[in-house]
């Protein structure tokens, strides 16, 4: 997943909703006078490529830097808007692109840390800053004089002797400001401000509650006998987690941010499986950290905002600038696939029920049974035992001999450790990326292990974005939540985690390969339903025979994964795809239904709304619930993927089509890799997405590759 931060260099500002008045910012900006040269954000970091100086940065440095940053950018933007000279690309667009440097520096670090290394002090400041940041954004988006200048440039863009990239930038600015409400009346703008203020507060509160839920819903187990099926190492980790949480002598099973929990595939105790599943699926429905009320109000707010902007619903508003363009296109995409996917899922369910009966189970299949018995079906069908694979998937080897190896083979780049660069947590490692000619390209941070203070999931983000205008090179981070082994023991990863490592590096290289002039068009600043394409394309290399043979080696002997196991693994890739596809589609359809609500619709009961949405689309199979229920659907509610979770499958169509094409061009080789790098990853949003795709592929994609990839043909 690509994570958009509130990095308020203006290109990013225009993506955000906001609230309040400039005078509110001015009041808080008075506090910003405490910013001094001793603050690490006072000037650009002296480290290479302005990588953050984490050795110097402390919690107390953020607030004065953020407040002063808003005050400075306010002055810069007002000067642009009130400029008496006729608008030009230089005095308007370029001036906006280079504004807000202090705010950009501070916010990039702040919002990365609130997601990956949070603490109570940072969370409190996040809540305090949310309405102020939104106010600042709104005052830029809704500035009438500023929009007049942008609108003039937009209307005359083809007569101004601009480069294609500059025309594209003007179009992007104009569209973003229009979608933010720049054409509204003053009265409507005030309504937007009020809605945005509440929206920013609710999304921040949603994030805070999700973090608090992580500890709240962890399952405490009294004895090791209940954990039958877990490896000895996993049981030791559960004991250490329990001790750290104050449950000495017990065991703790933490809950990841999806409905399905990895531990359910191995736990033999059915009662404990049910307890774990229910802790996952029912979170947020009640209690001090319930999020159900936030879900229903956010959906209502978004519908009201869409109506003010002239759209039927939030989904129509959100999809207007995307490749899909309309909700109807998304519903059609899923609608054409549902019958085949449901048929596959029902067949899988029948096979699992047969396995339950065969192994003496006297019960009907339930959600907490699926993963456990699916593994038995897999073992019987493919004679594949996941536990036998683990010694061949040692974390460090997967990263260096798998992920990094593929980057060198395809794109000619290498990553070398930079232990001299400070990091924000001991588990984080810094690397420098070099091109084939030896030139330095970027700094990369690897933050792969789970810990307290990190939100669930996996994502990529940036501390510094690429800019040909300023000469800035990318500083990028990949974040995951892999369970780290006890000290002195090797960390093994599942094959799903392997593919996620490749996926997130796909996002990472999208940022690090960026080669455009203007920062608002750089790297991953593309539409939601295109941004997942390069990353999904990258994850398929994890199963490429040459790549797999290089990293899948026994952690002690170095022996490669035996051919029989390798063949079984490759053949089993299509296993359980009915389940995987349906749980994803169900979540995407629930997201679309929430955001297809009409303005004025009453607050919804979350559980009944979800049930009706699943029933409507024919995806209501009890044993296969949505990958995310609304109450912990971080993508769709506090995150930036509202009415956009469909984007993963939309992007997967591109990725599968592109990957199939690459195999016809020799597969893992530098020539085709460089073509992909130059036509897709380097251009960012300087080229319209479908145009970029056709520049690589030579034609628009078909769905054949997707069905093949998921074993659904």
């Amino acid at each position: 997943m690509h994570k958009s931060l509130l990095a308020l260099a203006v290109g990013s500002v225009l993506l955000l909703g906001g609230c309040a008045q400039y005078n509110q910012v001015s009041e808080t900006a008075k506090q910003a006078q405490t910013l001094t040269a001793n603050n690490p954000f006072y000037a650009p970091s002296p480290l290479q490529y302005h990588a953050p100086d984490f050795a110097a940065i402390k919690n107390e440095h953020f607030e004065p830097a953020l407040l002063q940053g808003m005050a400075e950018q306010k002055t810069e933007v007002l000067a642009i808007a009130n400029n008496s000279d006729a608008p030009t690309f230089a005095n308007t667009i370029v001036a906006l692109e280079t504004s807000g440097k202090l705010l950009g520096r501070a916010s990039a670090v702040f919002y990365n840390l609130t997601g990956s290394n949070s603490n109570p002090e940072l969370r409190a400041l996040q809540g305090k800053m949310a309405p102020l940041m939104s106010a600042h954004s709104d005052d830029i988006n809704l500035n009438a004089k500023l929009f007049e200048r942008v609108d003039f440039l937009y209307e005359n863009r083809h007569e101004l002797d601009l480069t294609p990239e500059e025309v594209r930038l003007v179009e992007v600015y104009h569209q973003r400001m229009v979608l933010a409400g720049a054409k509204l009346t003053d009265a409507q703008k005030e309504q937007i401000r009020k809605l945005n203020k509440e929206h920013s507060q609710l999304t921040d509160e949603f994030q805070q509650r999700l973090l608090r839920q992580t500890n709240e819903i962890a399952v405490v187990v009294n004895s090791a006998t209940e954990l039958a099926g877990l490896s000895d190492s996993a049981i030791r980790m559960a004991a250490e987690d329990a001790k750290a949480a104050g449950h000495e002598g017990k065991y703790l099973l933490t809950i990841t941010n999806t409905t399905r929990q990895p531990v359910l595939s191995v736990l033999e105790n059915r009662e404990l499986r049910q307890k774990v599943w229910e802790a996952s699926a029912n979170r947020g429905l009640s209690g001090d950290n319930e999020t159900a009320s936030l879900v229903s109000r956010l959906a209502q707010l978004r519908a009201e905002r869409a109506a003010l902007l002239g759209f039927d619903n939030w989904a129509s508003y959100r999809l207007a600038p995307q490749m899909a363009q309309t909700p109807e296109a998304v519903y059609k995409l899923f609608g054409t696939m549902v019958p085949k996917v449901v048929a596959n899922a029902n067949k899988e369910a029948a096979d699992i029920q047969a396995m339950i009966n065969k192994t003496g189970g006297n019960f009907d299949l339930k959600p907490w049974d699926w993963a456990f018995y699916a593994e038995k079906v897999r073992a019987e069908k493919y004679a594949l035992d996941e536990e036998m694979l683990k010694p061949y998937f040692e974390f460090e080897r997967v990263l260096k001999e798998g992920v990094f190896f593929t980057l060198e083979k395809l794109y000619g780049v290498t990553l070398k450790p930079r232990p001299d660069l400070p990091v924000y947590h001991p588990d984080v490692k810094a690397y420098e990326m070099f091109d084939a000619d030896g030139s330095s390209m970027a700094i990369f941070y690897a933050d792969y292990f789970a810990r307290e203070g990190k939100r669930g999931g996996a994502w990529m983000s940036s501390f510094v974005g690429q800019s040909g205008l300023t000469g800035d090179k990318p500083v990028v981070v990949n974040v995951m939540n892999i369970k780290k082994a006890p000290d002195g023991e090797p960390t093994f990863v599942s094959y799903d985690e392997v593919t996620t490592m490749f996926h997130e590096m796909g996002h990472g290289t999208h940022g690090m390969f960026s080669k455009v002039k203007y920062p608002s068009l750089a790297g991953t600043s593309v539409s939601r339903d295109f941004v997942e394409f390069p990353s999904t394309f990258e994850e398929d290399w994890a199963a490429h025979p040459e790549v797999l043979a290089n990293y899948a080696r026994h952690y002690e002997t170095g022996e490669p994964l035996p051919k029989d196991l390798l063949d079984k693994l490759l053949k089993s890739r299509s296993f359980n795809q009915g389940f995987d596809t349906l749980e994803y589609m169900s979540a995407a359809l629930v997201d679309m239904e929430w955001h297809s609500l009409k303005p004025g619709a009453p607050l919804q009961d979350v559980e009944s709304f979800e049930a009706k949405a699943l029933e409507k689309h024919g995806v209501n199979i009890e044993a296969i619930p949505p990958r995310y229920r609304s109450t912990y659907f971080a993508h769709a509610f506090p995150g930036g993927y509202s009415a956009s979770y469909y984007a993963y499958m939309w992007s997967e169509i591109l990725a599968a089509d592109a990957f199939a094409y690459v195999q016809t061009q020799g597969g893992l080789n530098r020539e085709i890799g460089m073509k992909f790098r130059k036509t897709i990853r380097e251009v960012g949003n300087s080229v319209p997405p479908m145009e970029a795709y056709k520049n690589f592929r030579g034609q628009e994609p078909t769905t054949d590759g997707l069905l093949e990839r998921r074993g659904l043909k």
Side-chain angles (χ1 to χ4, degrees), residues 35 48 77 116 158 208 235 245 287 302 335 348 394 461 480 531 546 560 589 621 638 680 686 695 706:
L35 186 71
Q48 186 176 351
V77 171
S116 61
H158 297 302
Q208 304 276 9
I235 292 173
R302 289 166 178 172
E348 292 169 2
E394 189 272 324
S461 193
M480 285 182 62
V531 76
E546 184 180 346
L589 287 164
I621 296 179
I680 302 296
S686 65
N695 288 342
L706 172 67

Side-chain angles (χ1 to χ4, degrees), residues 10 20 27 34 107 239 260 363 555 593 622:
V10 139
E27 286 302 311
T34 57
S107 62
R260 185 184 3 171
F363 51 82
Y555 77 103
E593 286 296 329
E622 181 193 4

Side-chain angles (χ1 to χ4, degrees), residues 52-101:
D53 187 358
F54 292 112
I57 295 169
K58 295 181 172 55
N59 287 349
E60 59 264 27
H61 293 139
F62 287 112
E63 185 170 7
L66 293 169
L67 292 171
Q68 182 65 28
M70 284 190 286
E72 287 184 8
Q73 192 174 37
K74 170 192 172 181
T75 300
E76 293 165 343
V77 171
L78 287 177
I80 297 167
N82 296 326
N83 190 343
S84 58
D85 293 340
T88 65
F89 184 81
N91 70 19
T92 302
I93 302 299
V94 174
L96 287 171
E97 286 288 277
T98 55
S99 71
K101 291 179 180 178

Side-chain angles (χ1 to χ4, degrees), residues 481-533:
N481 276 275
I482 294 169
K483 191 75 172 177
K484 190 178 181 183
D487 288 345
E489 298 184 30
T491 295
F492 300 117
V493 291
S494 68
Y495 186 68
D496 282 346
E497 288 170 328
V498 170
T499 59
T500 302
M501 289 169 69
F502 276 80
H503 179 99
E504 295 307 331
M505 185 56 82
H507 284 308
T509 50
H510 200 175
M512 290 187 285
F513 289 168
S514 183
K515 207 171 187 178
V516 303
K517 184 172 183 179
Y518 299 102
S520 287
L521 301 177
T524 55
S525 299
V526 296
S527 65
R528 288 290 187 201
D529 49 13
F530 191 78
V531 76
E532 297 297 334
F533 156 44

Side-chain angles (χ1 to χ4, degrees), residues 214-228:
T214 301
N215 295 328
E216 182 181 85
I217 63 175
V219 176
V220 178
V221 180
N222 292 321
S223 68
T225 57
E226 296 178 75
L227 299 176

